[in-house]
Amino acid sequence: LLISDTGNNRLQRVQPDGTWVQSIGSAGSGPGQFSNPRGTTQAADGTLFVTDTGNARIVHLAADGSYLDAFGTAGSTPGQFSTPYAVRVMRNGHLLVADTNNDRLQIFTPTGEFVDSISHAEDPLVPNFLEPSAAVEAPDGSIIATDAAHNRIVRLYYDDVPPTANAALVAVPGGVRLTASATDSGAGIDATTY
C-alpha cells in the first residue's frame, strides 16, 4: 500500500498488515521531493503518479519509488495547477487530475501532455462544481468527482459515454440529471448530481 504522509512531505509504503516497507521523498521542490503530497495512483506498468499539492505538479515515480519525472506548474492555464488533490489512471491510460482550487478536472497523457479540461467555466453544459478534491472514472466511463463547495458528488459523462441527442432536465432519485448534446471537446455530455 502507498500512503500519502502529507504533513511529513513524503509517501509511506506499508504491507497490508501495516508493516512498514519504505519512505519515499522528503520536503522540498526538487526531484524526489514533495510539498504536501496527497493523491496517488498506479499505472498498468507499475509506475506511480502523485499529486504534489504544494508544488502544484504531478510526480511520476518508478515502481520502486525512485523519481522519474514531474509535470505542471502553479497557475490556471491548461496544464497548470492550483492545489491538485487527486490523480487517477483512466481506462485509456490517461491521467485524471482534480485541480481543486481551479475548480476543474484536467486530463493528461502519462507523459504529462495536456489533453482536456472539464469545468463549468470552460463549458457551460458542465454543471457548476467547485473544489473537486477527488475524481475517478467509473466502469461505465463516466467521471465521478466530489464537489466540496456544494457538498455533493457529480457524475460527468465524458467523451463518447453515453451520447444524448437533446438537452433536458430529468429527475432521478437523489438529484437532477442534466443531459446535453455532445461537444467537440467531449466534456459536458451528461452530468448527474447526488
Side-chain angles (χ1 to χ4, degrees):
L1 303 171
L2 188 64
I3 300 168
S4 293
D5 188 359
T6 304
N8 288 315
N9 299 302
R10 64 185 177 188
L11 306 175
Q12 298 279 4
R13 191 184 304 264
V14 298
Q15 296 290 342
D17 67 2
T19 305
W20 179 85
V21 176
Q22 80 180 120
S23 290
I24 301 169
S26 61
S29 60
Q33 294 182 318
F34 299 104
S35 176
N36 299 310
R38 294 195 183 266
T40 62
T41 193
Q42 187 171 29
D45 65 1
T47 61
L48 308 165
F49 292 92
V50 181
T51 54
D52 187 5
T53 303
N55 288 320
R57 65 183 181 180
I58 304 300
V59 176
H60 189 195
L61 302 173
D64 67 1
S66 59
Y67 177 85
L68 294 175
D69 200 2
F71 65 89
T73 58
S76 60
T77 62
Q80 293 184 313
F81 302 108
S82 180
T83 318
Y85 264 44
V87 60
R88 289 287 179 252
V89 176
M90 300 175 74
R91 292 180 302 169
N92 63 5
H94 287 160
L95 301 173
L96 175 63
V97 179
D99 187 9
T100 304
N101 286 347
N102 279 328
D103 300 323
R104 67 184 176 190
L105 304 175
Q106 292 195 75
I107 299 172
F108 297 87
T109 67
T111 58
E113 293 177 56
F114 174 79
V115 174
D116 205 354
S117 181
I118 304 170
S119 76
H120 179 74
E122 296 164 358
D123 184 346
L125 294 177
V126 174
N128 188 18
F129 63 95
L130 302 172
E131 300 174 6
S133 59
V136 65
E137 184 180 29
D140 68 357
S142 64
I143 295 171
I144 300 170
T146 59
D147 179 356
H150 295 113
N151 298 311
R152 65 183 180 174
I153 303 295
V154 178
R155 179 182 295 252
L156 304 162
Y157 287 96
Y158 177 80
D159 215 9
D160 59 351
V161 183
T164 55
N166 299 306
L169 283 174
V170 181
V172 295
V176 174
R177 174 170 289 194
L178 168 66
T179 61
S181 301
T183 63
D184 289 338
S185 69
I189 294 173
D190 188 7
T192 306
T193 59
Y194 299 95

